[in-house]
Amino acid sequence: MGGRKRKVRKIAYAVISTAGVLLAIYFILVNVLVSAALVPSFMRRLDAFSRITDESYAAQVQTADIRENGRAALADTKEWLKTAKRQKLSIQSEDGFMLVAETFPLETSAVKKGEGGGHGRIKDTVNHRWVILLHGYTGWKEELYPLAYWYQGQGYQVLAPDLRCQGESEGDFIGMGWTDHFDCMLWIQYILSQDENAEIVLHGQSMGAATALMAAGEETLPDNVKAVISDCAYTDAYSMFSEKIGEWFGLPSFPFVDSACLVLKLRGGYNLKDASALEAVAKSRTPTLFIHGEEDAMISVSMSRRLYEAQAGQKELLIIKNAGHAQSQDKDPDTYYGTIRAFLHKTLAK
C-alpha cells in the first residue's frame, strides 16, 4: 500500500512539474508576443517590424492613380519643407517619457496652389486655428507632413508629434491609442499655454485616429477642441489584435490575446481592452468626420461604420471607393480634402 502511495505521489509531482514548465514556457511566449507587437526595438531585432510593414504594404491597393497622387503630394511637401518655418518641441509624459513633436507656425506670406490638394492665399493675420496630426501604428510624424502642408495652406498652425515609443519619442510600449490619448491631452495643453483662444482639430490616421477618438471621449477634454478627423480608425485594440495575431504570428487569438492583455497590464500598465475608441465615441460630443477606404485590408471599413453609428455628437461618414488603408487622400484627393474643408468650415464657423 505504501509503495502504491509513493508511486501516485511521484506521478502527481511529475504532472505538476511538467505543468509548471509548460506554464513557464507559455508565459515566456506571451511576453515575447507582447514585445514583438508593441516594442519597436524588440520588433526590429526579430525582424517583425519590417515584416509587418512589408505585409501591410502588400495588402494595399496598387493602382497608378494612387501612386501618382502620392508622389505628387510628396513632391509638393518636400518643396514646402525647404522653406517652411518649423520648431522641434519636447514635453514629458505623465509617466516620465520624453515626447517629441514638430510644429509648423503659420507662414502668412506663403502662397499655396490648387483647390483639391490645396490652398489659395491665406490672410495676413494669424488666426487661432490649430491641428494636431497623429500618425499610425509603427509610424512617425513625418508620414503626415503632406497633411501638415495642406492644413497650413488652409490657415492652421500645425503640431505633429511622434507617438510614444515611435520616431523620436521615448516609451516602453506602443500605446495603441490608450496611453497616446493621455499624451495627446498634454499636447493640447501645450497649445493652450501658447494660445488660450486656440481652436484645435485632432486629425489622426489608423492608430492615430483611434487616439483622437479616445481623447474626444474624455470628460476633461477642453472646449477648445472643436473637431476630430478620424481616418481609418479601429474600434478597439483588443479586436484588432484578435484579428491580426494569426496573420502576423500564426497564433490563435484564444488564449493568446487575453494572456497578452494580462502581461501588458503587468509590464506596460494598460490593457488592450482599455484602448476602445468605440466606448469613447459613445461619450463624445466633439463633431467628428469618419473617413475610411472601402478596400482597407488592414482595418475593416466596418469598424468606421460602427464608430460612426456609436458617435454621440455631430458626425459625418466618408467612404472612399477603391482605397486601401490610409490611402483615401491619394485615391481621391479632391473629395478627401474637399470634405474635410467643408466639415471644418461648418464646425469652426459655429
Side-chain angles (χ1 to χ4, degrees):
M1 182 68 68
R4 184 180 299 171
K5 287 183 178 180
R6 284 194 296 272
K7 187 175 181 180
V8 170
R9 282 198 296 269
K10 286 182 180 180
I11 294 172
Y13 291 153
V15 170
I16 293 171
S17 177
T18 301
V21 170
L22 292 174
L23 185 60
I25 293 172
Y26 178 76
F27 184 74
I28 292 170
L29 178 60
V30 173
N31 268 274
V32 170
L33 174 64
V34 168
S35 296
L38 297 173
V39 181
S41 60
F42 190 86
M43 295 169 73
R44 291 186 181 94
R45 289 201 298 273
L46 287 183
D47 203 32
F49 190 94
S50 58
R51 180 170 54 80
I52 290 173
T53 301
D54 290 344
E55 289 177 1
S56 298
Y57 178 78
Q60 291 286 59
V61 176
Q62 309 290 343
T63 56
D65 56 345
I66 290 176
R67 289 193 294 270
E68 290 169 6
N69 289 331
R71 282 195 293 265
L74 286 175
D76 288 343
T77 301
K78 286 180 180 179
E79 284 300 310
W80 168 67
L81 287 171
K82 290 178 181 178
T83 57
K85 183 179 178 182
R86 56 206 289 192
Q87 180 183 0
K88 189 75 66 68
L89 299 176
S90 64
I91 59 174
Q92 191 173 64
S93 70
E94 294 180 349
D95 48 354
F97 296 114
M98 184 186 73
L99 306 173
V100 175
E102 193 100 31
T103 60
F104 296 90
L106 191 60
E107 291 281 6
T108 58
S109 61
V111 178
K112 311 301 182 185
K113 68 175 185 177
E115 181 64 20
H119 305 301
R121 181 181 291 275
I122 56 183
K123 295 181 180 179
D124 291 332
T125 54
V126 176
N127 59 38
H128 297 285
R129 293 183 177 177
W130 291 75
V131 62
I132 299 178
L133 300 177
L134 302 165
H135 65 75
Y137 173 73
T138 68
W140 48 88
K141 59 186 179 297
E142 288 81 4
E143 291 179 324
L144 299 190
Y145 282 2
L147 290 176
Y149 165 60
W150 182 82
Y151 269 105
Q152 192 178 82
Q154 301 300 307
Y156 288 78
Q157 302 192 72
V158 178
L159 190 150
D162 279 321
L163 301 185
R164 62 168 55 203
C165 209
Q166 296 161 94
E168 296 180 85
S169 289
E170 297 177 346
D172 47 5
F173 294 89
I174 293 175
M176 297 309 299
W178 180 250
T179 51
D180 306 297
H181 91 280
F182 294 117
D183 297 340
C184 183
M185 298 287 276
L186 296 178
W187 290 119
I188 292 169
Q189 290 303 323
Y190 168 80
I191 290 174
L192 295 180
S193 74
Q194 305 299 305
D195 180 2
E196 63 181 9
N197 296 313
E199 296 180 303
I200 303 170
V201 175
L202 305 180
H203 185 141
Q205 284 190 346
S206 193
M207 188 182 81
T211 299
L213 295 174
M214 290 180 213
E218 285 290 326
E219 292 182 0
T220 57
L221 184 75
D223 292 337
N224 302 75
V225 178
K226 301 299 184 181
V228 171
I229 309 299
S230 169
D231 186 345
C232 58
Y234 48 76
T235 53
D236 63 284
Y238 180 86
S239 296
M240 269 294 296
F241 273 93
S242 294
E243 289 183 5
K244 295 301 176 183
I245 191 171
E247 294 179 27
W248 291 348
F249 304 108
L251 297 171
S253 61
F254 181 82
F256 284 98
V257 176
D258 287 286
S259 300
C261 287
L262 175 60
V263 169
L264 182 59
K265 185 69 175 179
L266 293 172
R267 292 177 57 192
Y270 79 97
N271 189 322
L272 289 174
K273 293 180 180 179
D274 295 334
S276 175
L278 193 62
E279 291 183 8
V281 296
K283 299 178 288 185
S284 173
R285 294 298 183 271
T286 305
T288 302
L289 170 61
F290 297 91
I291 303 173
H292 217 110
E294 192 173 47
E295 303 303 322
D296 193 331
M298 181 71 177
I299 298 174
S300 171
V301 65
S302 64
M303 287 194 166
S304 275
R305 289 194 172 104
R306 289 180 63 197
L307 289 164
Y308 171 79
E309 291 169 1
Q311 167 73 14
Q314 179 186 340
K315 57 190 176 181
E316 290 185 20
L317 176 64
L318 172 65
I319 306 299
I320 300 293
K321 293 183 178 180
N322 301 315
H325 188 63
Q327 289 184 308
S328 295
Q329 74 277 15
D330 292 332
K331 179 61 185 180
D332 190 349
D334 288 349
T335 298
Y336 184 87
Y337 289 111
T339 302
I340 293 173
R341 183 190 295 109
F343 181 79
L344 294 180
H345 177 75
K346 288 185 294 185
T347 301
L348 274 64
K350 294 181 179 179

